[in-house]
Amino acid sequence: MCGIVGCVADEPVAGILLEGLRRVEYRGYDSAGMATINDGSLKLRKGVGRVDEIEDEQGLSKLKGNIGMAHTRWATHGGVTNENAHPHASCKGLVAVIHNGIIENYVPLKKSLIAKGHRFRSETDTEVIAHLVEDEYKRTRDPTKATIAATKRLKGQYAIALMFQDRPDVIVGARKDAPLIVGVGEGKMFIASDVLAFIGHTDRTIFLDNFEVVEISRDRVKILGPGGKEVKRKPTQVAWELSDLSKSDFAHYTLKEINEQPKTVITASVQEPGKVEQFARAIRRAKSLYITASGTSYHAGLLMKFRLNKEASIRADTVVAGELKEHAGFLRKGSVVVAFSQSGETADVLEAVKGAKSKGAKVYSIVNAAGSTLARESDGVLLLNCGPEVGVAATKSFTAQVVVASMVVDAVLGKKRSNGIKELSEAVAEALKCDEQIRDLVHEYKDRPDFYFVARGYESPVALEGALKLKELSYIHAEGMPASELKHGTLALIEKGTPVVVLNPSGDAHADSLSSAEELKARGAEVIGISDIEDSVYTHFVRLPKVQAKFTPIVEAIPLQLLAYHMAVAKRNDPDYPRNLAKSVTVK
Ligand code: F6R
């Protein structure tokens, strides 16, 4: 979703901001823009399309000035047009704003501002902020005081950065329920929606809390708490490095991240001493236990539930984050919510945990982004340690989530340590060798309109994940389901040549899944079997190495991720930036 990057420096900033824009592209966007202040004048350039196209047309990097801010917009209020792209300026260009979030009360605010004589240029909710701050700035002549006064009138979610034409030394930021951080560099200070925006310049980061307002200048950061009192907070060093952001020799980040997974399983398994046990204790003591997440993270959460229910006899429910409030009746003091999120900023997840906490529940999270809102609002955190995931489709973060969740379940089961990580890493490397075979499958199936993914028991969340990946990247209609559900509707959709992926590792459910494959074949389906045991029922067979039962989802996900990736490439879709998707879904 919208990306924010602002910089005050002792050198021209346009190039730095352009680089930052390219780094936040992965969040998902449809238009972008930049503003700088030079010689007492505020200059804005913006447009629709990819950052590089806008740069070619508008010459963003040619903007002069040592202070500036830039934005990638994911349209919510108002169409995808130049006028609606950020930054937005107030009537006389005194104030400029960029924003991530939704201002819920923008309609009455806009009406009252128009009545006072303000002229609006866009259809966005964001523009009201520029006009409100302008009014307050004229009154107070103080950027921070003006921002505090204006934000008091806003309802909804926001992370904003503001510049003031006659104050070329400061950028002011404010946040409520949307991410905003400060990057502390040498001779330059940043404000951004995530670390990747400035990681090439500094890894020293200050995470802001809700209702805080920050003023950055070239060499100073001043944070004010909700009561207007100054808050002292030291920067923390983030572990991500610039090298994590290169594509290496891979054509896309998605392919690079898929191929990183042998390493992912190792790095995810290295946790701070005692932390996994702390999680396990909380789970064992929970009066009621919910696991919550969205998208791919939800699928990892389903896997954890299976193991807790079956192996530990602990009742756990996994609920998509946007629906957790429907279970509020079971959340109380003594309840535990385990939240999974790569970004730690997914709005539905944040709202779910906020609701759970208000009922007295404790929140334990499994996140990739240290310092994210979810991580900071949790009572305990385990990090995925898989480095930045730039491809919009979650791949290595899923693998890391399954590893970390498995370690927690093993600790709940009383195991002193999780075994088999090294063997798992080797098995993942082995599974990646199916790449050539998957390309052949893509060649054969790329024009089929529908795909189905089925599995039983512990594997069934992987069927959901396979369908999600294929939809996201290839735009082919895909459904995943437990094989037992096939008879209850889906078999009616199977025609001659319909591809159905059957995930069928050796184990208790193997024979039943083979029967499902036979049923599908009898109705004309072409069954793609993914397993460690071959069978004549499969039209195509992808062999996977045998791994411990708890890790089968990790090796099974590999061919499914490759299928989605190569399908996207075959259909000339950009796998790193699929249409209509955002990496970090920061609005509800
Ligand atoms: C799927 C995908 C999304 C995310 C979902 C949750 O490939 O990327 O469905 O899984 O938006 O995101 P996080 O894990 O950041 O909360």
Side-chain angles (χ1 to χ4, degrees), residues 178-198:
L180 193 67
I181 60 178
V182 172
V184 182
E186 292 294 322
K188 36 180 110 63
M189 205 67 80
F190 292 86
I191 191 150
S193 36
D194 71 48
V195 176
L196 300 189
F198 55 72

Side-chain angles (χ1 to χ4, degrees), residues 294-297 340-346 349 392-394 401 465 468-469 472 582-585:
S294 302
T296 291
S297 297
F340 284 67
S341 175
Q342 186 284 129
S343 61
E345 300 293 352
T346 299
V349 177
V392 164
Q401 286 169 338
E465 177 58 8
L468 173 61
K469 278 302 84 100
E472 282 185 300
K583 181 71 185 162
S584 196
V585 184

Side-chain angles (χ1 to χ4, degrees), residues 3 98 142:
I98 55 179
D142 182 302

